[in-house]
Amino acid sequence: MSLSYGRQYLAIPGPSVIPDSVLQAMHRASPNIYEGELHDLTHSVIPDLKSVAMTDQNVAIYIGNGHAAWEAALANVLAPGDTVLVLATGLFGLGWADIAQGLGARAEIINFGAQAAIDLSQVEAALAADTEGRIKAVMAVHVDTSTSIKNDITGLRATMNRTGHQALLMADCIASLGCDRFEMDAWGVDVMVAGCQKGLMTPTGLSFVFFNEKADAAQTDNVSRYWNWRPRVKPEVFYQHFAGTPPTHHLYGLRAALDLIKAEGIDAVFARHAKIAQAVWAAIDVWGSAGPMALNVADPAQRSHAVTSVAMGSSIATDLREWTESKCGLTLGIGLGRDPAEDYFRIGHMGHLSGHMIMGALGTIDAGLKALNIPHGRGALDAASEVIATA
Ligand SMILES: *Cc1c(COP(=O)(O)O)cnc(C)c1O
């Protein structure tokens, strides 16, 4: 039999669960794009996006996914032949480096592997060795979704300051914005990229490049017209916000999502993600106490609050994922970018997520372990509920 009935639960690290209020806001007739409500609504999302990113600087909106924001950000500051320093802690750091290379830049990649955060002493050495100041930008992923590693962006800024290097600090917050605490201005980030389909709970299709004056001053002369962030932040006509037709329904959805974040309060949003992540870790620690399951990242300070990568040591990870989906309607994330991918799965716990939802997901995984006779410690749900009980 199957118990996969009722509402499906997509617990992957993006796209995330879409709130009903977002779906309902999008279920409407096409608005006038030349004047009126849509213009007011677009102007209203800009300060709210900045407040989620904790910045007073600029935000350009692009119609596209995270890859579009990656390319948009780099296309504004890199000319062919420029050098960037990429700090990789998983697939997404390497993916962003690939975009830089595609634009003709030289990517110097330091790969810290898939289980621990950026080692700042290695970054310091690389910057100190660059006596000619060739490195135009340091690119780091705040939360690498493939490994669930969270990097210390403030520490990275401090390291850059210590060396006196003038490179731009560019951060990918596509997985972390609205989940893990991030403060663009206080943390000294020059460029930050994000998407709408993870912590911002909106169907994939909008992405954002936040940038400060230093980054704008570093804009390359050969930026393409479509990616140029300037007309998007200071449009003479509404059309220039989007270099064409606006993403009408996505803007309504995003407005509703930002309303949810505003109503809850950003600090409460971060605290909720932290508590839910701790419940997930508590369960996995118990399961792993008598079986093959293990958290990918050992140090809790280096773990994301938005996603957890789990190692199973064999392709039973894939069997478990298939069981939870086919038998109970819970879709877990694949072992993206891992080798071998079948040996890992990920739990997305970002965005529109409550205590009962995560307890349901953990209970379903617990049932899957039993159904598939995968050895595991008993009492994981008890451990998770102890965490939730302290909310
Ligand atoms: C999801 C994600 C991306 C890519 O976003 P797409 O919308 O899939 O193009 C990039 N970086 C990080 C950290 C992500 O989580």
Side-chain angles (χ1 to χ4, degrees):
M1 71 180 290
S2 172
L3 301 174
S4 178
Y5 188 76
R7 184 172 274 213
Q8 301 288 302
Y9 179 5
L10 187 67
I12 70 172
S16 62
V17 173
I18 304 172
D20 287 343
S21 67
V22 172
L23 291 170
Q24 283 153 7
M26 297 179 78
H27 191 137
R28 51 174 300 131
S30 276
N32 184 357
I33 60 170
Y34 301 112
E35 59 189 9
E37 185 181 291
L38 187 73
H39 290 209
D40 298 339
L41 184 139
T42 302
H43 294 131
S44 82
V45 300
I46 289 167
D48 291 340
L49 284 168
K50 290 185 193 178
S51 102
V52 171
M54 300 201 187
T55 182
D56 292 329
Q57 302 286 335
N58 308 290
V59 58
I61 307 178
Y62 293 87
I63 302 169
N65 59 13
H67 282 67
W70 269 352
E71 180 141 334
L74 294 174
N76 273 278
V77 295
L78 295 185
D82 281 349
T83 299
V84 289
L85 180 66
V86 182
L87 310 175
T89 52
L91 184 76
F92 289 97
L94 298 171
W96 202 10
D98 184 57
I99 299 276
Q101 287 164 337
L103 291 167
R106 228 187 111 254
E108 230 174 77
I109 300 170
I110 311 182
N111 194 337
F112 299 94
Q115 289 194 277
I118 293 167
D119 170 5
L120 294 171
S121 66
Q122 286 188 54
V123 180
E124 185 155 358
L127 291 173
D130 181 31
T131 50
E132 291 159 36
R134 282 177 310 109
I135 296 169
K136 179 115 193 247
V138 175
M139 292 158 51
V141 178
H142 184 211
V143 164
D144 197 302
T145 325
S146 64
T147 55
S148 67
I149 293 167
K150 176 166 66 188
N151 287 304
D152 173 10
I153 302 296
T154 31
L156 178 56
R157 175 81 264 172
T159 301
M160 291 175 69
N161 288 350
R162 230 180 358 262
T163 63
H165 202 291
Q166 288 306 302
L168 297 172
L169 172 53
M170 303 180 74
D172 170 348
C173 293
I174 296 170
S176 56
L177 190 69
C179 305
D180 279 283
R181 176 169 287 279
F182 177 84
E183 302 181 25
M184 175 161 170
D185 292 354
W187 294 7
V189 174
D190 300 305
V191 179
M192 186 269 273
V193 296
C196 71
Q197 80 273 28
K198 302 195 184 183
L200 298 186
M201 307 174 284
T202 302
T204 319
L206 294 178
S207 58
F208 314 101
V209 178
F210 297 81
F211 62 96
N212 66 14
E213 294 309 319
K214 178 180 173 183
D216 194 42
Q219 195 188 51
T220 169
D221 295 334
N222 66 334
V223 59
S224 66
R225 280 185 176 66
Y226 186 76
W227 291 130
N228 192 346
W229 58 35
R230 284 188 184 157
R232 290 172 187 263
V233 299
K234 293 192 179 74
E236 279 169 32
V237 292
F238 182 74
Y239 252 41
Q240 291 177 348
H241 266 302
F242 305 103
T245 308
T248 50
H249 288 64
H250 274 79
L251 290 165
Y252 282 95
L254 179 66
R255 180 63 269 163
L258 290 168
D259 286 342
L260 290 174
I261 292 174
K262 252 179 142 165
E264 186 178 359
I266 192 72
D267 290 323
V269 170
F270 292 146
R272 174 169 53 84
H273 280 83
K275 181 65 75 182
I276 284 174
Q278 284 156 12
V280 171
W281 306 338
I284 295 170
D285 278 338
V286 173
W287 284 322
S289 66
M293 192 185 281
L295 287 158
N296 182 51
V297 182
D299 180 354
Q302 299 183 358
R303 291 180 197 152
S304 161
H305 294 166
V307 51
T308 297
S309 167
V310 186
M312 295 291 283
S314 75
S315 61
I316 52 173
T318 300
D319 300 338
L320 180 62
R321 204 166 44 66
E322 287 171 359
W323 189 92
T324 64
E325 181 166 55
S326 64
K327 289 290 188 182
C328 289
L330 170 72
T331 304
L332 297 166
I334 62 170
L336 191 70
R338 305 307 297 275
D339 187 22
E342 314 82 73
D343 293 9
Y344 297 83
F345 73 92
R346 294 171 302 157
I347 306 170
H349 37 90
M350 49 175 56
H352 196 57
L353 195 66
S354 65
H356 83 71
M357 289 166 75
I358 202 63
M359 288 306 295
L362 295 172
T364 303
I365 294 169
D366 197 70
L369 291 168
K370 290 176 170 62
L372 298 171
N373 290 315
I374 299 170
H376 62 283
R378 304 286 158 143
L381 298 179
D382 223 30
S385 76
E386 295 281 2
V387 175
I388 297 296
T390 63

